[in-house]
Amino acid sequence: MPQYLVLIYGDEQTWESWTEEQERANGEGHVRFQALAGDAILGGKELGRTRTARSVRGHRNGRPVVTDGPFVETKEVLGGYYVIEAADLDAAVALAAHLPEADTDYSGVEVRPVA
């Protein structure tokens, strides 16, 4: 069955300003998604904040250039992911639409086929 990467994007400042109740509600949304998706989920994790990230790109004097932070500076950052199986892209999108981040104005979800 085809595999899809479900990328969860959002605004870190919003996430960091959440109350315990908001964090719990978001977590419960993921529990509901996981129950709905069941065995279609092959893996997934929440990612650490971008302030802990390092980017490696290009070379200078034969060595890779390492910089603090994500590759690009944007308001929305990659916050987590799932790897799922679905019959086709439409089915993967329909499943991803159940994520809590798919229904907010501060985040979004991207679904990409795994090559």
Side-chain angles (χ1 to χ4, degrees), residues 5 31 34 39 51 59 81 94 114:
L5 183 61
V31 169
Q34 292 165 6
D39 292 339
R51 67 178 165 271
H59 283 82
Y81 68 94
V114 174

Side-chain angles (χ1 to χ4, degrees), residues 13-27:
Q13 290 179 342
T14 298
W15 293 333
E16 290 175 354
S17 70
W18 279 353
T19 64
E20 286 184 31
E21 183 178 315
Q22 289 170 307
E23 284 187 37
R24 187 172 39 258
N26 190 68

